[in-house]
Amino acid sequence: MPDEKRVYRKKQRAEREAQTRLRITESTVELHGTVGPARTSISSVAKRAGVRRSTVYRHFPDESALFAACTAHWMDLNPPPDLVRWAAIRDPDERLRRALEQLYAYYRRTESMLENLHRDEASMPIVKQLFGGFRDYLGAARDALMTGRQARGRPRRLLRAAIGHALAFPTWLSLTREQGLNDSQAAHLMHSLALAAAHYPSHTRGPK
C-alpha cells in the first residue's frame, strides 16, 4: 500500500508540473501574439501564468528553451496549409490559385503573431532562428508551385520571383492593410502577376 501511495503522489506531482509548464507556454504564446517577443519578459510571463519567475526558470532554464516550446505549441495550434495537398493539384495555375487563397486565409488568422515575429526578428537572433522554419516552409511552397511549369530562362526566373513575392507575409500585409484589398482580391492580383511573369516574352529587352 505505501508503494501505491508513493506512485500515486508522483503521478499527481508530474501532472501538476505538466499543467504548470503548459500554462507558462500558453502565456508566452499569448504575449508573443499581442506585445511581441521583444517586449515579453520573464516577469510578464510569470505574472500571466500565475507563477513565480523561479518557476518559469525551473521549467525553461533559458530564453531559447522557452521560445522553442512557444513556437512548437503555436505551430501545433496553427499549422500552415499542407504542401502535399497543393502538390496533388496537377494544373499549375489552379494549384497556385488555391495555394494563395489558403495561405492568405492562414495569414488572416495568424496576422498578429506573424507581424510581431517579422518586426522582432531583426533585433532578436533567437526569433530569427526559430522563424527560419517558416521561411523554409515558404521556400518549399515556392518549389511546389513551380513544379510542372513550362517556362524556361528569364520567364522562369521572373515567375519564380513572382511566386516567392506572392507567398511572402509582408506582401499580403501590404495588399490588405495598406492597399485595402480583401484576401480574395489580393490572391487574384498575385495570381495574375505570376501568370504575366510566366508568359513574359524571352526576347523582350530588359533585366536578365
Side-chain angles (χ1 to χ4, degrees):
M1 184 68 68
D3 287 342
E4 291 181 1
K5 289 183 178 180
R6 186 160 51 248
V7 170
Y8 179 71
R9 286 196 296 270
K10 286 183 178 180
K11 182 179 179 181
Q12 281 189 316
R13 185 163 57 249
E15 290 175 349
R16 287 196 300 269
E17 288 293 288
Q19 291 172 356
T20 299
R21 182 183 178 89
L22 178 60
R23 195 159 67 249
I24 293 170
T25 301
E26 290 176 337
S27 297
T28 307
V29 169
E30 291 173 6
L31 288 168
H32 284 186
T34 51
V35 301
R39 300 170 187 171
T40 297
S41 65
I42 296 299
S43 295
S44 63
V45 170
K47 181 178 181 180
R48 182 171 289 260
V51 299
R52 297 179 178 179
R53 279 170 51 92
S54 59
T55 303
V56 176
Y57 282 118
R58 189 175 77 248
H59 287 273
F60 303 100
D62 54 38
E63 190 178 64
S64 295
L66 180 59
F67 277 35
C70 171
T71 300
H73 184 71
W74 187 83
M75 290 298 293
D76 283 343
L77 296 176
N78 300 278
D82 188 353
L83 300 186
V84 175
R85 291 190 176 184
W86 289 359
I89 302 173
R90 297 186 62 180
D91 180 73
D93 291 342
E94 175 65 12
R95 185 192 314 138
L96 177 60
R97 184 187 67 79
R98 295 270 295 276
L100 290 176
E101 289 176 351
Q102 292 174 18
L103 185 65
Y104 286 2
Y106 175 75
Y107 283 163
R108 176 71 62 183
R109 294 194 304 271
T110 60
E111 176 181 357
S112 179
M113 178 66 82
L114 291 178
E115 185 175 15
N116 287 342
L117 292 175
H118 273 84
R119 181 196 68 205
D120 292 349
E121 68 170 332
S123 61
M124 299 189 70
I126 181 61
V127 173
K128 186 173 183 179
Q129 175 187 340
L130 294 174
F131 205 29
F134 185 68
R135 297 196 183 283
D136 291 341
Y137 165 83
L138 292 180
R142 182 175 60 181
D143 290 342
L145 296 175
M146 287 294 296
T147 300
R149 294 286 181 178
Q150 300 301 314
R152 293 293 181 268
R154 182 166 56 184
R156 187 172 185 85
R157 290 193 294 274
L158 292 175
L159 173 60
R160 185 175 178 83
I163 290 177
H165 179 68
L167 294 174
F169 174 76
T171 298
W172 172 83
L173 195 65
S174 174
L175 291 174
T176 57
R177 180 178 294 182
E178 297 175 15
Q179 307 307 322
L181 301 183
N182 60 38
D183 293 345
S184 178
Q185 291 169 332
H188 178 74
L189 180 61
M190 289 298 97
H191 184 260
S192 298
L193 174 67
L195 294 184
H199 295 93
Y200 189 85
S202 58
H203 61 276
T204 301
R205 295 183 63 183
K208 297 182 179 180

